[in-house]
Amino acid sequence: MATTNLGPVLSAFERRPESLIPLLQSVQESLGYLPPDVLGTVARHARVPRSRVYGVASFYSQFRFNPVGRHRVAVCRGTACHVGGARFILEQLERTLEILEGQTTEDMEYSLETVACIGCCGLAPCISVNDEVSAKLTPMKVRKQFKKARK
Amino acid sequence: MTAGFDQLRQAAEEQWESLTASDTPVITVGTATCGRSAGALDTLDVLRGELAGRDLECRFVEVGCLGPCYAEPLVTVSLPGAATVCFESVNIKAARKIAAYVAGGELPEELAFATIGPDSIPGIPDLMDTPVMKGQVRRVLRNCGVIDPGDIRHSLARGAYSGLQRALELDRDARIEELDRSGLRGRGGAGFPVSRKWKFCIDAPGDTRYIICNADEGDPGAFMNRSLLEGDPHALLEGMIIAGLTIGAAEGFIYCRAEYPLALGRLAVAIEQAEQAGFLGPDALGPGRPFRIKVKEGAGAFVCGEETALIASLEGHRGMPRPRPPFPAVSGLWGCPTVINNVETLASVALIFQHGAAWYAEYGTERSKGTKTFALVGNVKRPGLVEVPLGTTLREMIFDIGGGVSSGHRFKAVQTGGPSGGCLPEDKLDIPVDYESLQEAGTIMGSGGIVVMDERTCMVDFARFFLDFAADESCGKCGPCRLGTRQLLRILEDITQGKGSPSDLELLEGLSHNVMRGSLCGLGATAPNPVLTTLRYFRDEYVAHIEGRTCPALACRDYIAFEIDGENCTGCTACALLCPVDGIAGAKEELHAINAAVCIKCGVCSDTCTFDAVQTVGVSP
Ligand SMILES: Cc1cc2nc3c(=O)[nH]c(=O)nc-3n(C[C@H](O)[C@H](O)[C@H](O)COP(=O)(O)O)c2cc1C
Ligand code: SF4
Ligand code: SF4
Ligand code: FES
Ligand code: FES
C-alpha cells in the first residue's frame, strides 16, 4: 500500500501543524495524488485532526484526490491566454485526448486540467505538460502534438 | 560580514570582467520559462553541439529574460574584439547560422536584433535604441537577461548586496528616512508607502518580527515577479535582508506560487549561495545577529495573495482572509508584527540602498516615484516585460513600446490591474500610469498586468471571464462575495448566451455595489470592477447583446455562425477532414458548405483554411 513507503517523506517535516501544507505537497509529489488513507497518516504526523487535513487539502486547487496520468496537460486559463483563444485550445485537447477537463485517459497516460496562469503570458496561448511549457499554440498545433502521442 | 564584502566583490568583479572582456567567444542564451517555451533549451543544445566539434573554446552563460517575449529565444554573442550582438527568434536553423558566425563565419545580419554595449555595427541598432527598449528605463530589470542568476558573483559584480552594506552602516531611523525620501510605494497592488508600513511594524510591541515576501503573483496574465525571480533572485534577497535588518526580524519567508517551478529552483540556489557568502545565516546582520530566509510554496489559491490569507496559509490553514485591523504590521505571522511586501517592492528597496533615494526618485510623478515593471500582453505586436517610469502613458506603452495592436485589427480596450482592475477605452490611453490616475479612471495599477484587446474581444465576455475567475477563487467566507460573484457571473453568462434582459444592466450595477460593500477582503471588494468599467465604457456592447441581439465583436458563440465564402474556397477539403462533427460537405476542388445544424462552432475550419474562405457571420441567438 502507498502509505507504507511514506516514512522518509514524512520525516523530512517537523511534527507541527504549520508543516501541513508542505507535507501534503510532498506526499502528492511522491504519490501523484492524495489517496484517502494518507490523510490520516498526514494528520497524525502534523498533530492535527483529520478533518483539518481534509479541509486544507480541499481548499487549495493544487491538491488532488484522484490519480493523474503520466502526462499532466494543463491549459492556461489566464487573461492573456483567454484573449489569445485558450478555450479553443482546451476544446481541441478535449477532442484529441477524448477526455474532458478534469479527467484522465483510461490508460493513465494523459490528464487534462486548467491552470490559472503559467507566467508565459507574452507567448499566449500556452499549455504545460508536466512542467514543460509550450507557447503560441493554435488548435492545429495541439492537435498535431497530441495526435502523434496518442498513436 | 562587511569586512569580507570588499574581497568578495572584488573577486566577483574580476570574474565578471573575464567574461565581459573575454578572449574567447561568450554566448548567452535566455533560458527563463518564457525562453524555454519558445525552444531556448533546444537552441542551446544546437549551439553547444555545433561548436563542440571545433577547436574553439566557447563560454556559454544561461541568463534570465531580457523582456521582449515576442523575440524569444534570445541569444547574444560576444566575439573578442567585436561588438556584442543580440539575435532574436533563434530557432534551430538560426542557431546553426549563429554557430557558424562564432566559428569565424559571416555575421547573419538578418537574425540580429541589436548590439549591446559600447561597440556598434552599421545597420544594427543599439539595444536601447530599438523601439521596444527606447521608452524603457531598466532599473529593477537591469540584470535580467544579462547575468547568470545561478552565479552570485555576477550579481555581486553588478552591485548586489552593496545596498545591504550601506544599510548596515546606517541606523534604523536613517534607513526609514531613506525609504521615505525615495517615495517607494508597494508594487503588489495597493501602493501603500513602504516606509510607513515598516515604521508601523517597528512601533508595534513584540519581541519577534517577520518579513514576508509575497511572490504569489496571482494576477493571471502577469509575470513580472516570475521574470525577476528567475532572472535576478539576489535583488529580492538583498531587499528582504535590508527589511529584516530594519524592522528587527531574524527570519523571512518567501511565499511563491507552485506554478513557477523554475523560479523556485533558482531561489533555492540563490539562498544557498547567499548563505555561503554570509549574507544570510547566523551573523548576517552583524556578529551574533542572524537572518534566515525560507521559501514556502503556494498551493494554487488566488486569495492567498491577500496578506492575511497568505499568513493563514503559511501557518498551515485554509487561506482565508481575516478582518483588518489588526494589520499584519501589528499582528501577523503567529500574531507577531510582520511586514509583507511584494517581490518588486523588495527588489526596489535594494536599489534604493545601492544608489540612494534621490537617484530612485529621479523618475516618476509627484506621488508615484520610480520605475515600475509591467507585463504587456494580449493583442499587441510586441508583448513582453517592460519597465518604465511611473507616469508614462498607456498609449506610449502600448503603441511605442508594444508596437500597437497585432494582426491589423483595431484597438478596442486595455485592461490593467488583473481581476481587481478594469478596462479602459481608447480615449483614456493618454492618462499617465500612476496609482491615482488609474484609480480615477475606474481601474487600478495592480501588480502591473496590462492586457491589450482588439475589436475581436467581446467586452461582455471579458467581464464574464473575470467573474468566472472571481467566483472560482472566492474563499467563501463572505456571503456577498461567494454568492454575489456567482450571481454576477450567471447574469453575464445569460447575456453572452443570448438570454439577457433589459433589466440586467441595472441589476449588474446594483449587485456589483453590494458585493463591493459586503466583502471582507480585496478579492470581493474589487471583483465587480471588470463589470463596472465595461458597463461604464462599453455599455453599448451590453445593449447590442440584449436589445440588438448581436455580439459586435463576433466572439460570443451563440451570436455567430461560420460560413464558407464561394469566392475564396478552392475545395481543398482541409476543413472537411478536420471538422470534429463531420459538419462540412463538398467534393474535392468544389465549393464546400457547413451544415449549421450540426456545427459546434469550434472554429477549427476557420483556423485551418489557408484561403480565408471561412467567414464568421453574426446571427441572432
Ligand atoms: C485577492 C488579493 C490577491 C492579491 N494578490 C497579490 C499577489 O499575488 N502579489 C502581491 O504582491 N500582492 C497581492 N495582493 C496584495 C497584498 O495583499 C499586499 O497588499 C501586498 O503583498 C503588499 O505588498 P506591497 O506593499 O509591497 O505591494 C493581493 C491582494 C488581494 C486582496
Ligand atoms: S471577500 Fe471573498 S475572498 Fe475575501 S474573505 Fe470574503 S469571501 Fe473570502
Ligand atoms: S479549408 Fe477553406 S478552401 Fe479548403 S475546402 Fe475548407 S473552406 Fe474551402
Ligand atoms: S495568461 Fe496564460 S500564461 Fe499567463
Ligand atoms: S522574455 Fe521572458 S517574460 Fe517574456
Side-chain angles (χ1 to χ4, degrees):
Chain A
M1 181 64 244
T3 29
T4 51
N5 49 24
L6 276 183
V9 176
L10 298 178
S11 62
F13 297 91
E14 282 182 63
R15 303 199 59 177
R16 301 206 318 212
E18 63 262 31
S19 303
L20 181 53
I21 295 171
L23 259 170
L24 289 169
Q25 285 170 329
S26 189
V27 170
Q28 178 162 294
E29 169 105 27
S30 71
L31 301 180
Y33 73 114
L34 301 174
D37 57 332
V38 156
L39 298 185
T41 317
V42 170
R44 277 190 298 282
H45 192 85
R47 301 185 201 280
V48 296
R50 212 184 130 106
S51 60
R52 175 156 159 207
V53 179
Y54 184 75
V56 166
S58 60
F59 181 84
Y60 295 98
S61 65
Q62 186 186 27
F63 298 118
R64 298 179 290 264
F65 300 107
N66 291 306
V68 279
R70 268 176 286 280
H71 305 275
R72 277 177 41 226
V73 184
V75 181
C76 175
R77 60 174 167 105
T79 318
C81 291
H82 172 74
V83 170
R87 71 167 188 199
F88 296 112
I89 307 292
L90 177 63
E91 288 172 8
Q92 182 64 55
L93 279 164
E94 289 182 331
R95 286 193 299 269
T96 307
L97 298 175
E98 295 173 356
I99 47 173
L100 296 176
E101 179 194 342
Q103 296 179 338
T104 301
T105 55
E106 249 168 55
D107 61 4
M108 298 304 286
E109 278 299 317
Y110 292 92
S111 302
L112 185 57
E113 46 195 73
T114 55
V115 54
C117 172
I118 304 171
C120 249
C121 330
L123 300 168
C126 312
I127 64 169
S128 70
V129 182
N130 296 337
D131 280 329
E132 210 167 294
V133 182
S134 316
K136 286 195 195 168
L137 292 170
T138 62
M140 289 296 284
K141 282 196 205 162
V142 291
R143 186 170 173 276
K144 266 192 212 137
Q145 182 178 344
F146 288 92
K147 228 182 119 188
K148 245 190 288 167
R150 287 308 284 154
K151 286 279 151 82
Chain B
M1 129 101 286
T2 323
F5 180 73
D6 292 334
Q7 270 169 309
L8 266 177
R9 181 160 178 179
Q10 203 181 344
E13 274 166 0
E14 278 162 22
Q15 194 259 353
W16 179 249
E17 205 136 294
S18 80
L19 199 65
T20 47
S22 170
D23 49 14
T24 53
V26 178
I27 300 168
T28 75
V29 181
T31 55
T33 304
C34 42
R36 290 177 184 211
S37 72
L41 293 179
D42 293 336
T43 300
L44 181 61
D45 276 350
V46 170
L47 285 168
R48 280 214 164 100
E50 294 272 316
L51 290 164
R54 309 187 197 229
D55 190 22
L56 185 68
E57 203 186 310
C58 293
R59 288 168 75 180
F60 288 92
V61 183
E62 288 189 45
V63 297
C65 66
L66 206 54
C69 307
Y70 68 97
E72 292 280 357
L74 286 166
V75 171
T76 72
V77 174
S78 315
L79 300 186
T84 301
V85 184
C86 177
F87 298 97
E88 63 180 328
S89 309
V90 184
N91 56 21
I92 289 172
K93 213 169 115 204
R96 294 213 175 93
K97 285 193 194 166
I98 291 168
Y101 163 63
V102 176
E106 236 169 80
L107 172 72
E109 260 183 68
E110 71 286 359
L111 299 172
F113 170 56
T115 56
I116 300 177
D119 300 323
S120 61
I121 296 175
I124 303 175
D126 180 80
L127 182 66
M128 292 318 287
D129 289 333
T130 56
V132 63
M133 291 289 182
K134 212 170 185 170
Q136 297 197 45
V137 176
R138 316 272 293 185
R139 288 190 158 180
V140 174
L141 299 177
R142 76 199 182 289
N143 285 336
C144 287
V146 177
I147 61 161
D148 176 354
D151 189 339
I152 192 175
R153 293 173 303 177
H154 288 194
S155 297
L156 279 167
R158 291 179 54 93
Y161 299 105
S162 65
L164 172 62
Q165 299 313 304
R166 221 187 114 224
L168 283 164
E169 286 157 16
L170 299 174
D171 66 20
R172 195 169 67 190
D173 291 344
R175 287 182 218 123
I176 293 287
E177 169 74 21
E178 184 84 10
L179 268 184
D180 194 44
R181 277 189 295 121
S182 76
L184 177 65
R185 296 170 65 174
R187 298 297 192 230
F192 194 80
V194 176
S195 60
R196 272 175 54 202
K197 191 185 275 189
W198 291 19
K199 190 85 181 10
F200 281 144
C201 181
I202 292 170
D203 292 343
D207 299 326
T208 307
R209 281 157 220 279
Y210 296 102
I211 165 80
I212 297 174
C213 169
N214 190 341
D216 202 38
E217 192 146 68
D219 174 356
F223 50 92
M224 301 76 48
N225 292 173
R226 175 189 62 70
S227 295
L228 197 54
L229 292 168
E230 287 178 359
D232 192 13
H234 289 286
L236 161 64
L237 301 187
E238 182 178 1
M240 272 184 94
I241 302 168
I242 295 173
L245 174 71
T246 306
I247 65 168
E251 209 174 353
F253 293 92
I254 301 175
Y255 188 87
C256 181
R257 66 195 312 230
E259 291 86 345
Y260 289 172
L262 189 63
L264 284 162
R266 294 205 168 153
L267 268 177
V269 171
I271 289 174
E272 199 185 307
Q273 294 184 351
E275 280 168 356
Q276 275 163 9
F279 298 119
L280 291 171
D283 304 306
L285 308 180
R289 291 191 59 197
F291 188 74
R292 291 188 172 82
I293 293 179
K294 287 193 188 129
V295 178
K296 295 278 178 171
E297 258 182 64
F302 171 65
V303 72
C304 286
E306 195 279 338
E307 50 191 22
T308 60
L310 189 155
I311 289 172
S313 180
L314 274 182
E315 292 172 349
H317 298 280
R318 296 164 71 108
M320 288 174 137
R322 60 152 179 81
R324 298 173 307 176
F327 286 91
V330 175
S331 175
L333 191 60
W334 293 298
C336 301
T338 302
V339 164
I340 299 191
N341 277 130
N342 170 263
V343 175
E344 187 179 343
T345 310
L346 290 165
S348 303
V349 166
L351 277 181
I352 289 164
F353 281 90
Q354 285 168 20
H355 300 273
W359 173 88
Y360 187 80
E362 257 169 37
Y363 286 104
T365 65
E366 184 61 35
R367 296 178 61 194
S368 303
K369 293 291 181 206
T371 58
K372 168 89 191 79
T373 61
F374 292 93
L376 184 60
V377 299
N379 305 131
V380 61
K381 245 185 221 138
R382 292 192 287 261
L385 182 69
V386 306
E387 180 176 356
V388 291
L390 284 169
T392 303
T393 65
L394 284 165
R395 192 182 298 280
E396 287 168 304
M397 264 195 263
I398 298 167
F399 287 87
D400 299 345
I401 296 173
V405 175
S406 53
S407 66
H409 290 270
R410 267 176 57 88
F411 173 89
K412 184 189 242 174
V414 56
Q415 210 271 352
T416 71
S420 309
C423 295
L424 301 178
E426 179 144 27
D427 64 13
K428 293 281 172 200
L429 285 181
D430 293 308
I431 60 170
V433 176
D434 60 52
Y435 295 96
E436 281 74 26
S437 305
L438 287 175
Q439 207 151 24
E440 249 164 62
T443 179
I444 58 165
M445 176 129 77
S447 58
I450 297 191
V451 187
V452 178
M453 285 161 280
D454 67 26
E455 56 197 351
R456 294 169 301 170
T457 301
C458 168
M459 301 316 286
V460 186
D461 178 64
F462 197 59
R464 182 204 58 76
F465 165 78
F466 277 118
L467 263 294
D468 190 18
F469 181 81
D472 229 30
E473 297 293 342
S474 165
C475 81
K477 186 165 179 162
C478 320
C481 171
R482 182 181 71 239
L483 305 171
T485 50
R486 285 253 156 250
Q487 196 56 39
L488 285 169
L489 171 62
R490 197 156 302 158
I491 299 170
L492 292 166
E493 279 174 351
D494 277 350
I495 301 176
T496 56
Q497 291 168 4
K499 294 182 283 197
S501 81
S503 59
D504 281 350
L505 301 190
E506 255 172 68
L507 198 58
L508 282 173
E509 271 158 345
L511 197 54
S512 290
H513 288 115
N514 287 337
V515 170
M516 295 174 109
R517 263 199 304 272
S519 294
L520 175 63
C521 87
L523 192 155
T526 58
N529 274 346
V531 183
L532 290 175
T533 50
T534 47
L535 276 170
R536 175 165 161 194
Y537 296 118
F538 301 94
R539 202 179 189 88
D540 50 338
E541 276 194 51
Y542 283 85
V543 176
H545 283 75
I546 296 170
E547 283 166 21
R549 315 286 296 154
T550 58
C551 170
L554 291 180
C556 293
R557 210 166 270 198
D558 291 288
Y559 291 84
I560 57 162
F562 291 102
E563 275 176 10
I564 295 177
D565 169 0
E567 293 275 300
N568 288 352
C569 177
T570 62
C572 74
T573 75
C575 59
L577 287 174
L578 288 176
C579 174
V581 291
D582 282 334
I584 304 178
K588 202 164 184 298
E589 285 173 31
E590 273 171 39
L591 173 63
H592 281 50
I594 295 173
N595 177 358
V598 299
C599 174
I600 54 168
K601 297 176 192 173
C602 69
V604 165
C605 51
S606 81
D607 189 40
T608 313
C609 181
T610 44
F611 303 96
D612 234 3
V614 182
Q615 314 280 332
T616 311
V617 296
V619 294
S620 288

